[in-house]
Amino acid sequence: MIDRTQPVYPQLVSILRARITDGTYASGSRMPAVLAVASEFDVAASTVQRAFAALREEGLIITWSGRGSFVAEHS
């Protein structure tokens, strides 16, 4: 799914955003762990953390320390 000839980070953000908007990651559900996403896409955990940060800034996910990241409730 990741095209290694292009920058990985924006592709990852786009894939995760699409999974949120299409309901693959349902509203209110827990996002996969950073290490699970890193493993799935064969990218560094820091890349996933940056992608999660971008999704937080967009208001698509909420992160609580010690609990994980969750898809923000949306209508």
Side-chain angles (χ1 to χ4, degrees), residues 23-55:
T24 300
Y25 300 147
S27 180
S29 69
R30 182 187 301 261
M31 290 289 291
V34 168
L35 293 179
V37 176
S39 176
E40 177 183 354
F41 293 100
D42 193 25
V43 299
S46 60
T47 302
V48 178
Q49 290 169 334
R50 284 181 57 210
F52 277 24
L55 296 171

Side-chain angles (χ1 to χ4, degrees), residues 1-71:
M1 285 196 260
I2 297 285
D3 178 0
R4 299 293 175 175
T5 65
Q6 301 293 319
V8 172
Y9 164 74
Q11 292 180 74
L12 183 59
V13 171
S14 179
I15 290 167
L16 296 174
R17 184 186 304 115
R19 287 182 178 183
I20 291 168
T21 57
D22 75 9
T24 300
Y25 300 147
S27 180
S29 69
R30 182 187 301 261
M31 290 289 291
V34 168
L35 293 179
V37 176
S39 176
E40 177 183 354
F41 293 100
D42 193 25
V43 299
S46 60
T47 302
V48 178
Q49 290 169 334
R50 284 181 57 210
F52 277 24
L55 296 171
R56 271 194 305 277
E57 289 177 18
E58 292 179 28
L60 294 174
I61 67 171
I62 300 167
T63 302
W64 287 289
S65 181
R67 289 184 58 201
S69 296
F70 295 80
V71 178

